[in-house]
Amino acid sequence: MQIYEELVARGLIAQVTDENEIRELVNNGKATFYIGFDPTADSLHVGHFMALCLMKRLQMAGNKPIALIGGGTAMIGDPSGRTDMRSMMTKETIQHNCDCFKKQMSRFIDFGEGKAQMVNNADWLLNLNYVDFIRDIGACFSVNNMLRAECFKQRMEKGLSFLEFNYMPMQSYDFYYLFQHYGCNMQFGGNDQWSNMLGGTELIRRKLGKDAHAMTITLLLTSEGKKMGKTASGAVWLDPNKTSPYDFYQYWRNIEDADVLKCIRMLTFLPLEQIDEMDKWEGSQLNTAKEILAYELTKLVHGEEEATKAQETARGLFSGKGSLENMPSSQLSADKFENGKIGAINLLVACGLCASNGEARRLIQQGGVAVNDQKVASIDVAFDQSDFEGDGVVIKKGKKVFHRAYVK
């Protein structure tokens, strides 16, 4: 099976501009392709995971990836999938985020001469003359067509700023620039980027009279249609300082039964023959499948050693024999205690186990919290600061989340 057929079999391809041409390019290692990443944070997250895995698969098949960091487009903000305008970032913040991205991407993609490249569209976008741009590039875009694009339609009712309206021509210019200067003949991206990507292929056709291609990746959705990669405390990050390897492992270990085999197929590098056998699994076998998924993805992001530690810690905690060493932990500062005590609600929020006091209150009232194996029976329960000395206490949230809290 060649790479294009494998991408189809794994359910990764959503839309393509010319299937026969794209198949020919990627199967023969002739694609120089780019995927864009807007540096809106100092870490990539699970939402980027699909794109990184796709880049890795295609590079392994002989194609050349270009990771485009949107240092220029981030000055505007992508309206796709947004109900409000993104906050503006400074150039210094954007540069810091770009540096963090390259370090994380290097775990997936092989950078170097003749291999993958990382470029920043700030290098060409920030030097553009606006009047020249709208005369030369803006003339190629139909406002009527732009307003029919999904990324703009969903914003029209709440208000779409002229600033954001420039995003599509600027992203299209990226493809046009990369086509001319880097020989980039394909763009890949999430399915919500389809309109922006078509803008790029059309600009190249109109300005240069040549064909370029676009392919969108299936969005990573739960069986309920929600985007994967979000928890009560926020995004699931690839940076171990923002989401620990154990928490990353646990995120995948705890996904719904209906999603596990789809995720194994789309995200892991396990052979399709092995995954096809798993399609017959049911009941308790799905828990084994979740362990396989969690281990494989944690290994990809954090390495085999961290994946093994996370798996052993998780198994140990559920069997009651786990060590505290690798358990997610919070060190509580003295100001968290009032008169030497901390209430159960404040404890849950301080450890990041609940996003708000209200959520913590409901969780306790529903009987979903235990501290050192003792159920927290009331929202009024408080703990002495001395309880948190030494190894501290182990908080159990629901049936699957364990967390240690301690003071020094």
Side-chain angles (χ1 to χ4, degrees), residues 329-346:
S329 302
S330 296
Q331 182 180 341
L332 302 179
S333 56
D335 61 6
K336 298 294 182 186
F337 296 86
E338 188 173 342
N339 297 322
K341 290 182 177 291
I342 185 170
I345 289 175
N346 290 338

Side-chain angles (χ1 to χ4, degrees), residues 359-403:
E359 182 187 335
R361 184 179 293 107
R362 287 190 295 274
L363 187 64
I364 293 169
Q365 289 171 336
Q366 292 164 3
V369 180
V371 174
N372 287 345
D373 288 330
Q374 296 295 313
K375 183 175 285 189
V376 177
S378 164
I379 60 172
D380 298 319
V381 168
F383 303 93
D384 292 329
Q385 187 168 344
S386 60
D387 295 337
F388 297 86
E389 295 172 356
D391 288 337
V393 303
V394 175
I395 307 161
K396 186 178 179 184
K397 174 186 172 184
K399 294 180 179 179
K400 298 176 179 178
V401 177
F402 294 83
H403 196 94

Side-chain angles (χ1 to χ4, degrees), residues 205-223:
R205 187 189 66 78
R206 294 190 63 169
K207 295 291 294 179
L208 304 174
K210 296 183 178 179
D211 289 330
H213 306 283
M215 182 180 94
T216 60
I217 314 161
T218 309
L219 292 177
L220 192 58
L221 304 175
T222 68
S223 53

Side-chain angles (χ1 to χ4, degrees), residues 239-241 243-251 294 298 302 306-307 310:
D239 182 343
N241 296 314
T243 299
S244 72
Y246 174 83
D247 285 334
F248 186 85
Y249 177 95
Q250 282 298 95
Y251 174 80
T298 307
H302 298 295
E306 290 294 342

